[in-house]
């Protein structure tokens, strides 16, 4: 299929469009103001070892476990991830005294609202399949703090996590003494990750922002590839109340001469991202134009997709994750790795198809529509905002077809909880509201008040303790009998999902 130029006239289209042409036709019917921005931006066009699926548990060695708990306790004395001072001065100072470890390897930097961690895991799997040593930094963790820093597709060992912390601790204290505010929890972890990747050494780092982009602690790297997953309204008190305002913060990861891999975006967010790309002479590849999902169908344990990459088509790729949103994440991840390898810029050929298939088949994303129990089926999903909830609701209906689905929801108080519940209302027969152990958790009774307004009193049950909530939901799912097809979805927060995962015997 020949590429359609940006100013392609709809009247010139052939009578019969293939699926990818249809995607392009839909995506080019957009706000004409984008044409002004796109005229100044270069678009990327082609001319012409698998990750560990599980999550680490507590260390078996009591001494190691004790040492890890001491590190966790020390980190907990610092500002948490929800308390921010918008500046990279402290993390930049730490990088300086550590000898700029983040500059010792190329990187792929990922921002966006939803899908960042799953996309990072897919990128990591692809790079590993092409025999590159990877370092991955993601947040938050589901069960163990060591999940956040991975090497070669697996979380670093507790011993190495402890050693890395002890190695940089004197430098952290040095920076603390010289700054107005001490380094935060997230800033110290970011320093640890960058130091661990340099020490490994990693061939490439895959780094997910914590929040935003411009002033996020991770933004002391200059990513060769900047990935922007779909932008939606979240953290509006810190990032802005519109898509454009949020995109302005996230565009901060786009660096001079980089390649930008852009998922489908709201028009006002796309305008901001493309304008930033023009300003820094970055090359842009957009989902729906330069790459995308051509076809997808539900398969056992996941889906079978055909992806259009920057270098050509990749047919019949098995992805062991559920939902259309994961197929789009896969397309973004593939384009990011192609761009990293120079496809579309230095080379015209596609990546090896068998290697791509092998990599995607090995992808795991714990806590993202993850089945942790059968009879009845219990699924975990870390959706914590309305956009994530809508994607999960659509996916669970497509992949599982439960006759009766019971929700267990424990959310954070600083989230759009009403929007999240409204997204799940059409698919939940009943909902059990609860709360996790985090200090950020919304009180179960407060959450119940909102749930009653959304679902009606007869569909809401309150169980403040998560173990009781799980038991109640499983009982409700079983009411129609052993073979009724009832299921349970645990959602609302990564913390809720992590605690439920432990309670249900995973990890």
């Amino acid at each position: 299929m020949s590429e359609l130029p940006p100013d392609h006239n709809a009247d010139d289209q052939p009578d019969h469009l293939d699926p990818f042409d249809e995607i392009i036709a839909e995506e080019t019917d957009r706000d004409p103001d984008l044409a002004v921005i796109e005229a100044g931006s270069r678009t990327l066009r082609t001319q012409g070892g698998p990750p560990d699926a599980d999550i680490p548990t507590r260390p078996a060695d009591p001494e190691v476990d004790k040492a890890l708990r001491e590190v966790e306790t020390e980190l907990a004395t610092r500002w948490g991830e929800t308390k921010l001072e918008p500046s990279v001065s402290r993390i930049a100072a730490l990088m300086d005294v550590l000898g700029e470890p983040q500059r010792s390897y190329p990187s792929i930097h990922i921002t966006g609202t939803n899908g960042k961690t799953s996309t990072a895991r897919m990128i990591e799997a692809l790079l590993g399949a092409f025999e590159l040593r990877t370092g991955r930094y993601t947040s938050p963790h589901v069960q163990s703090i060591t999940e956040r820093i991975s090497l070669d597709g697996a979380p670093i060992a507790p011993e190495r996590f402890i050693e890395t912390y002890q190695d940089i601790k004197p430098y952290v204290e040095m920076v603390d003494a010289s700054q107005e505010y001490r380094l935060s929890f997230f800033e110290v972890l970011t320093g640890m990750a960058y130091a661990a990747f340099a020490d490994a050494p990693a061939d490439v780092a895959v780094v997910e922002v914590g929040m935003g982009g411009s002033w996020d602690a991770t933004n002391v790297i200059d990513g060769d590839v900047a990935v922007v997953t779909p932008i939606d309204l979240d953290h509006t008190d810190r990032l802005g109340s519109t898509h454009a305002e949020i995109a302005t913060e996230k565009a901060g990861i786009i660096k001079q001469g980089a390649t930008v891999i852009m998922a489908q975006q709201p028009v006002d967010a796309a305008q901001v991202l493309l304008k930033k790309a023009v300003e820094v002479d970055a090359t842009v590849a957009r989902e729906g134009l330069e790459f995308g999902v051509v076809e997808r169908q539900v398969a056992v344990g996941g889906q079978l997709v055909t992806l259009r990459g920057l270098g050509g088509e990749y047919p019949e790729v098995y992805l062991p994750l559920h939902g259309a949103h994961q197929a789009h994440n896969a397309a973004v991840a593939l384009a990011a790795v192609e761009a990293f390898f120079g496809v579309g810029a230095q080379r015209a050929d596609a990546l090896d198809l068998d290697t791509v298939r092998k990599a995607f088949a090995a992808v795991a994303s714990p806590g993202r529509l993850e089945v942790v129990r059968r009879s009845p089926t219990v699924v975990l999903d870390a959706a914590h905002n309305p956009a994530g909830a809508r994607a999960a609701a659509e996916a669970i209906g497509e992949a599982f077809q439960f006759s009766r689905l019971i929700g267990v929801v424990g959310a954070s108080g600083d989230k759009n909880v009403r929007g999240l519940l409204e997204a799940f209302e059409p698919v939940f027969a009943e909902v059990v509201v609860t709360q996790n152990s985090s200090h950020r958790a919304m009180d179960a009774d407060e959450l119940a008040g909102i749930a009653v307004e959304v679902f009606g009193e007869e569909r809401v049950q309150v169980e403040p303790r998560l173990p009781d909530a799980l038991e109640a939901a499983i009982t409700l799912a079983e009411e129609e009998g052993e073979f009724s097809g009832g299921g349970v979805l645990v959602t609302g927060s990564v913390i809720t999902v992590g605690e439920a995962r432990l309670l249900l015997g995973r990890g």
Side-chain angles (χ1 to χ4, degrees):
M1 186 200 82
S2 61
E3 288 282 347
L4 297 176
D7 58 354
H8 184 79
N9 191 315
D11 295 334
D12 296 333
Q13 292 183 26
D15 293 335
H16 301 289
L17 301 179
D18 71 24
F20 196 74
D21 282 328
E22 291 177 356
I23 294 173
I24 293 175
E26 292 172 2
E27 287 300 304
T28 51
D29 185 19
R30 298 183 293 178
D31 189 322
D33 288 345
L34 285 178
V36 177
I37 298 170
E38 291 180 349
S41 67
R42 295 180 292 123
T43 56
L44 186 59
R45 300 176 183 277
T46 258
Q47 307 301 317
D52 189 338
D54 211 348
I55 288 177
T57 59
R58 298 300 309 183
D61 186 326
E63 291 302 314
V64 176
D65 187 49
K66 179 183 177 183
L68 180 59
R69 289 185 188 279
E70 289 173 354
V71 172
E72 291 170 322
T73 299
E74 288 187 26
L75 288 170
T77 65
R78 297 179 175 275
W79 276 0
E81 291 172 280
T82 59
K83 185 172 182 179
L84 304 167
E85 194 272 322
S87 167
V88 294
S89 60
R90 293 178 303 280
I91 186 67
L94 180 60
M95 293 296 100
D96 181 52
V97 296
L98 289 176
E100 303 289 348
Q102 81 282 14
R103 305 203 184 282
S104 62
Y105 38 77
S107 59
I108 297 175
H109 203 180
I110 306 168
T111 191
T113 302
N114 290 307
K116 297 187 295 295
T117 298
S118 292
T119 302
R121 284 177 168 272
M122 293 179 195
I123 291 171
E124 173 189 55
L126 284 163
L127 293 169
F130 284 99
E131 300 184 351
L132 290 182
R133 186 164 205 201
T134 57
R136 172 173 55 84
Y137 181 50
T138 54
S139 61
H141 57 273
V142 177
Q143 287 176 201
S144 171
I145 194 171
T146 60
E147 295 166 36
R148 296 179 180 235
I149 304 173
S150 291
L151 289 170
D152 296 323
I156 63 173
E159 295 87 347
R160 190 163 192 171
F161 186 91
I162 296 162
E163 180 183 356
T164 302
Y165 176 75
Q166 296 298 342
D167 283 346
I168 75 164
K169 183 178 177 180
Y171 302 97
V172 168
E173 292 172 344
M174 186 186 307
V175 173
D176 284 343
S178 67
Q179 298 288 318
E180 182 179 2
Y181 304 107
R182 297 171 69 214
L183 287 154
S184 70
F185 169 87
F186 187 73
E187 287 169 334
V188 175
L189 279 174
T190 302
M192 289 173 60
Y194 289 162
F197 299 160
D199 186 60
D203 295 320
V204 54
V206 182
V207 178
E208 173 190 339
V209 303
M211 186 186 299
S214 295
W215 42 259
D216 187 74
T218 63
N219 204 31
V220 289
I221 62 168
D222 294 327
D224 301 77
V225 178
V227 176
V228 188
T229 67
I231 290 173
D232 214 298
L233 302 181
D234 198 9
H235 300 296
T236 53
D237 57 330
R238 297 178 179 89
L239 302 180
S241 58
T242 68
H243 293 116
E245 290 173 347
I246 293 172
T248 299
E249 289 297 333
K250 295 183 184 294
I253 74 163
I254 301 173
K255 303 298 175 59
Q256 186 72 35
T259 300
V260 183
I261 304 299
M262 196 169 80
Q264 292 180 348
Q265 304 290 349
V267 169
D268 53 349
Q271 289 175 324
V272 170
L273 296 170
L274 290 167
K275 181 180 178 181
K276 178 58 181 285
V278 171
E279 291 172 352
V280 298
D281 195 29
T283 301
V284 181
R286 300 152 295 180
E287 184 183 6
L289 291 173
E290 284 75 40
F291 68 93
V293 179
V294 175
E295 185 178 1
R296 59 178 293 270
Q297 56 186 334
V298 176
V300 176
Q303 56 192 304
L304 196 65
V305 298
T306 294
L307 304 175
R308 175 64 60 86
L310 304 175
E313 195 164 287
Y314 299 79
E316 298 183 348
V317 175
Y318 176 67
L319 181 66
L321 301 173
H322 300 292
H325 61 294
Q326 294 290 17
H328 289 285
N329 289 340
V332 170
L334 176 62
V337 173
E338 285 184 309
F340 181 79
F341 284 127
V343 174
Q346 288 86 37
R347 52 182 285 193
D349 55 317
L351 302 178
D352 179 73
L353 177 59
D354 288 340
T355 304
V356 169
R357 285 174 172 166
K358 178 182 176 182
F360 276 120
V363 167
S365 195
R368 276 73 180 178
L369 289 176
E370 178 188 17
V371 177
V372 292
R373 173 183 164 152
R374 300 285 186 182
S375 299
T377 299
V378 178
V379 183
L380 308 179
D381 192 84
H384 56 272
N385 56 43
R390 288 191 294 268
E394 179 183 350
I396 203 163
E398 173 188 83
F400 296 94
Q401 299 179 340
F402 293 120
S403 62
R404 175 181 172 83
L405 180 63
I406 310 300
V408 174
V409 179
S412 296
D414 58 349
K415 296 295 182 179
N416 181 358
V417 175
R418 180 179 295 275
L420 181 140
L421 292 173
E422 288 174 344
F424 282 122
E425 190 277 332
V427 299
F428 286 166
E430 297 183 53
V431 61
V432 182
V433 297
T434 188
Q435 64 190 75
N436 58 55
S437 64
S438 168
H439 68 279
R440 295 172 55 201
M442 177 175 281
D443 178 78
D445 289 332
E446 182 182 355
L447 179 56
I450 301 172
V452 166
E453 294 176 2
V454 174
F455 288 87
E457 189 173 354
E458 69 283 355
R459 294 169 63 193
V460 178
Q461 182 171 333
V462 186
E463 295 290 351
R465 295 182 64 254
L466 182 57
D468 297 336
L470 292 172
E471 183 178 351
I474 290 169
T475 300
L476 287 169
E478 290 174 333
E479 280 186 351
E480 296 181 4
E482 183 179 356
F483 303 106
S484 67
V488 174
L489 175 64
V490 184
T491 188
S493 164
V494 175
I495 297 168
T496 301
V497 163
E499 291 180 356
R501 203 174 188 274
L502 281 169
L503 289 167
L504 293 165
R506 295 299 296 270

